[in-house]
């Protein structure tokens, strides 16, 4: 099984923070699968995802993403950045721009710098953007301004922008934390479905074990910057899932035992 | 409580002292003060009826004031773009933005009429010193506003575009500018309104526009003509205000 991301003995302390946000983390994210990063608030999920996206400096350990090693001291080369897509916890959309413009923004890294700055997308860019909108069920919202959308609609725009980027690895930071349970299942269905259709790997964070179990092939538990467990969903019994739930909500950090 | 009571007493004493000092050192002769009322009434009496024959001068003066405000504002915008960037916390280092901000505060502290007087001295009478003065004076405020517009932009969408591989120009165009544009438009219109208002009187020091005629007529005792010009200024201020209200509604 090839790895979309390979992490060895990774530690990271945020600037000005006392405790490490990541504490000797080792992890393999299998390519072509969907992996859930499960953990309570402050576990280090956002930190780990941002680091894999090449946005953090000054960490220690070995990290390679899509076969290329990351440099702890320098940002990754721009050419490779579209390969890794990121769906932000707070969406990070340009509020005053249209939905289509926001989705086209996901194409900027795929265009030549001149074309990107001039703002003249090729027919292929428009085609990919329209397809992403359709896959996210928001084709009819293309001309709407983002600041007029609901939370669920914004989440779809954020996913569409990421898909338009045509990434091979999709990092999604709590893509459904702001949604009601029915909406959450809908969004995860379309995210994991679109990724599978494109042969992309998904790593999404969540603090809801039921969603992780339903939409991931693999669940990685995190707590206090450490990996608490790493299991294939097929191996999980109901009892183990209940334990999982306790694992991510209860206070004392204990390893997962009920796995076979 | 005690310290507040003392503070109140100290403030009262300070105000009383300032008033007494002004009285004692200004030559406010009681008889002159009493005759001031009738003299002002007489002066105003000579202003009515306003002389309507100066319509031509009104149009010429207003057009020149408008030109001064437009070109002065253009100059201020051109100066404020680079200075606004240099005064921004998020674009340059403190070593640069601190002195630039101090410079802008210094520019704001000089009244426009004073700049205009200096410019008349430097380049002579006419609209040119007015334009230079407006451009200089307005830059003190506009560059500060532009810097604040840059710094007020939300960072998350910029980081998102960077993560997608967008270069600096593309980020500027699609993440920074869309957020800034309404603020920049609003601030620029606001400053233009101030420029128009303030340049109405620039002619008094010889820097062109409608104020020049008012000053000329007052000095040659043609008060009825000065009155017409003054009414024209009032009408222009009201018109500017009305247009501004309409624009604000559209931007809201
Ligand atoms: N910019 C920062 N500066 C300092 N400390 C930070 C910063 N960002 C995160 N941390 C700290 O690092 C730890 C991990 O935070 P992180 O945001 O990765 O957690 P998370 O699992 O994503 O939590 P949540 O579910 O609330 O999003 C926390 O203790 C947090 O306080
Ligand atoms: Mg987080």
């Amino acid at each position: 099984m090839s790895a979309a991301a390979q992490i060895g003995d990774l530690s990271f302390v945020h600037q000005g923070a006392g405790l490490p946000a990541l504490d000797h983390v080792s992890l393999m994210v299998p390519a072509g699968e969907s992996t859930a990063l499960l953990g309570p608030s402050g576990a280090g999920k956002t930190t780990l995802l941002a680091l894999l996206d090449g946005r953090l400096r000054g960490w220690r350990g070995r990290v390679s993403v899509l076969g290329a090693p990351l440099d702890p001291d320098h940002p990754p080369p721009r050419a490779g950045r579209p390969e890794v897509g990121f769906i932000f916890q707070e969406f990070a959309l340009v509020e005053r721009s249209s939905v289509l413009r926001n989705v086209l923004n996901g194409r900027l890294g795929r265009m030549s710098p001149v074309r990107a700055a001039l703002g003249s997308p090729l027919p292929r860019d428009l085609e990919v953007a329209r397809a992403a909108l359709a896959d996210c069920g928001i084709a009819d919202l293309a001309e709407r301004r983002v600041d007029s959308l609901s939370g669920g609609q914004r989440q779809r725009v954020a996913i569409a922008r990421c898909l338009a980027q045509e990434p091979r690895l999709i990092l999604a930071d709590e893509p459904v934390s702001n949604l009601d349970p029915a909406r959450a299942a809908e969004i995860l269905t379309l995210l994991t479905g679109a990724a599978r259709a494109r042969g992309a790997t998904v790593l999404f964070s969540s603090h809801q074990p039921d969603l992780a179990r339903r939409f991931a092939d693999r669940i990685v538990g995190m707590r206090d910057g450490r990996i608490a467990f790493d299991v294939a969903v097929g191996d999980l019994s109901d009892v183990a899932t209940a334990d999982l739930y306790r694992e991510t909500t209860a206070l004392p950090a204990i390893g997962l035992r009920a796995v076979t | 409580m005690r310290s507040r009571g003392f503070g109140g007493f100290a403030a009262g004493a300070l105000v009383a002292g300032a008033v007494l000092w002004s009285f004692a050192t200004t030559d406010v002769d009681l008889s002159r003060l009493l005759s001031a009322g009738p003299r002002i009434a007489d002066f105003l009496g000579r202003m009515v009826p306003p002389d309507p024959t100066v319509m031509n001068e009104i149009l010429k003066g207003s057009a020149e004031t408008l030109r001064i405000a437009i070109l002065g504002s253009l100059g201020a915008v051109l100066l404020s773009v680079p200075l606004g960037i240099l005064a921004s916390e998020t674009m340059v280092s403190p070593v640069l933005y601190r002195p630039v901000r101090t410079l802008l505060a210094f520019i704001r502290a000089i009244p426009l009429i004073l700049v205009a007087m200096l410019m008349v001295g430097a380049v002579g009478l006419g609209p040119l010193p007015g334009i230079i003065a407006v451009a200089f004076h307005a830059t003190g405020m506009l560059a500060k506003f532009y810097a604040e517009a840059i710094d007020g932009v939300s960072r998350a969408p910029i980081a998102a575009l960077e993560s997608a591989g967008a270069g600096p120009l593309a980020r500027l165009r699609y993440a920074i500018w869309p957020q800034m544009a309404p603020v920049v438009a609003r601030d620029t219109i606001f400053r233009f309104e101030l420029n128009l208002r303030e340049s109405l009187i620039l002619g008094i020091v010889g820097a062109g526009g409608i104020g020049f005629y008012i000053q000329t007529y007052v000095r040659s005792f043609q008060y009825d003509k000065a009155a017409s010009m003054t009414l024209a200024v009032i009408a222009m201020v009201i018109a500017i205000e009305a247009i501004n209200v309409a624009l604000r509604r559209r931007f809201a």
Side-chain angles (χ1 to χ4, degrees):
Chain A
M1 186 164 37
S2 71
Q6 185 81 54
I7 299 162
D9 203 24
L10 170 64
S11 294
F12 177 74
V13 186
H14 280 285
Q15 209 155 38
L19 291 171
L22 298 173
D23 193 4
H24 299 281
V25 168
S26 293
L27 180 67
M28 197 271 270
V29 180
E33 285 188 10
S34 169
T35 302
L37 210 49
L38 188 65
S41 205
K45 306 183 294 294
T46 298
T47 305
L48 180 59
L49 291 172
L51 197 146
L52 290 175
D53 193 30
R55 278 186 276 125
L56 299 182
R57 306 273 79 82
W59 42 268
R60 280 176 296 111
R62 300 172 308 280
V63 179
S64 70
V65 175
L66 297 171
L70 284 187
D71 185 330
D73 303 316
H74 300 282
R78 184 136 34 91
R81 301 212 60 174
E83 300 289 326
V84 181
F86 202 95
I87 299 168
F88 291 79
Q89 198 165 355
E90 306 294 344
F91 312 140
L93 299 167
V94 183
E95 291 283 315
R96 297 188 76 260
S97 298
S98 73
V99 167
L100 179 60
R101 183 63 253 169
N102 269 280
V103 174
L104 276 172
N105 284 349
R107 299 287 310 161
L108 290 172
R110 296 275 181 201
M111 304 177 192
S112 75
V114 176
R115 187 171 288 285
L118 288 180
S120 46
L122 292 170
R124 157 132 178 88
D125 295 313
L126 280 167
E127 195 181 300
V128 173
R130 296 261 179 216
L133 283 170
D135 281 358
C136 294
I138 48 171
D140 52 329
L141 297 182
E143 304 306 326
R144 284 267 293 276
R145 251 167 66 158
V146 166
D147 54 12
S148 72
L149 302 182
S150 72
Q153 291 170 327
R154 278 163 206 240
Q155 187 64 73
R156 286 167 188 263
V157 179
I159 294 173
R161 175 175 67 187
C162 176
L163 293 177
Q165 195 178 317
E166 299 185 299
R168 284 199 286 144
L169 169 62
I170 297 174
L171 306 170
D173 196 7
E174 308 224 19
V176 295
S177 62
N178 302 312
L179 306 178
D180 62 71
R183 256 345 125 248
E186 251 172 61
I187 294 284
L188 282 176
T189 305
L190 85 82
L191 174 63
T192 50
R196 198 169 308 118
R198 290 162 168 79
T201 307
V202 178
L203 177 61
F204 72 95
S205 69
S206 174
H207 49 252
Q208 290 163 274
D210 52 324
L211 289 176
R213 187 164 174 248
R214 205 169 135 198
F215 290 100
D217 304 306
R218 192 163 198 90
I219 303 181
V220 174
M222 273 191 89
R223 171 186 291 275
D224 300 331
R226 284 190 284 266
I227 303 296
F229 56 84
D230 183 350
V231 291
V233 166
D235 297 341
L236 278 178
S237 65
D238 282 349
V239 178
T241 308
D243 266 14
L244 254 186
Y245 187 76
R246 223 170 298 121
E247 185 68 34
T248 55
T249 50
L251 277 172
I254 37 165
L256 187 84
R257 282 148 284 118
V259 183
T260 27
Chain B
M1 255 2 247
R2 244 187 71 204
S3 70
R4 199 176 144 199
F6 176 75
F9 175 75
L14 205 66
V15 171
V19 171
L20 284 175
W21 171 76
S22 306
F23 262 118
T25 54
T26 309
D27 182 23
V28 223
D29 180 339
L30 194 65
S31 64
R32 255 190 97 190
L33 192 64
L34 288 176
S35 67
R39 292 177 75 168
I40 291 172
D42 173 53
F43 178 83
L44 289 177
R46 279 192 275 162
M47 287 181 92
V48 282
D51 182 347
T53 62
V54 290
M55 206 57 209
N56 241 344
E57 283 75 11
I58 288 178
L59 290 178
K60 255 178 74 183
S62 308
E64 188 164 279
T65 294
L66 192 61
R67 286 202 300 273
I68 292 174
I70 290 174
L71 294 178
S73 299
L74 177 67
V77 169
L78 293 178
L79 287 171
S80 294
V81 169
L83 282 171
I85 293 171
L86 294 179
S88 148
E89 288 174 11
T90 49
M91 301 288 277
V92 300
S93 85
V95 190
L96 200 52
Y97 77 71
R98 288 226 180 88
V100 173
R101 285 182 175 198
T102 309
L103 173 76
L104 294 177
F106 181 75
I107 293 174
R108 283 196 301 278
I110 312 173
L112 175 63
I113 198 85
L114 195 62
V115 184
M117 273 173 70
L118 295 174
M119 284 304 133
V120 169
V123 303
L125 294 171
L128 182 63
I131 293 167
I132 298 174
V134 167
F136 176 80
H137 179 74
T139 297
M141 182 193 282
L142 205 54
K144 178 175 181 259
F145 283 178
Y146 286 1
E148 284 167 1
I150 295 171
D151 293 342
V153 161
S154 142
R155 314 306 299 168
I158 307 172
L161 262 63
E162 189 171 13
S163 161
L169 280 178
R171 295 204 293 275
L172 179 68
R173 168 140 189 206
Y174 291 113
I176 301 177
W177 179 247
Q179 297 188 63
M180 276 179 65
V183 182
V184 166
R186 196 195 58 208
D187 291 348
T188 307
I189 290 170
F190 172 69
R191 189 57 240 187
F192 174 69
E193 185 205 339
L194 286 183
N195 289 347
L196 194 50
R197 241 174 229 261
E198 292 181 359
S199 50
L200 287 169
I201 53 151
L202 283 184
I204 290 169
V205 295
I210 196 167
F212 180 71
Y213 292 94
I214 298 181
Q215 172 248 52
T216 311
Y217 290 139
V218 169
R219 287 212 179 139
S220 56
F221 308 110
Q222 295 173 283
Y223 295 126
D224 48 352
K225 289 185 178 162
S228 302
M229 303 303 279
T230 309
L231 286 176
V233 167
I234 294 170
M236 277 178 76
V237 170
I238 292 173
I240 294 166
E241 188 66 36
I243 292 169
N244 190 41
V245 167
L247 278 178
R248 260 193 213 148
R249 269 207 204 108
R250 291 208 61 179
F251 272 88

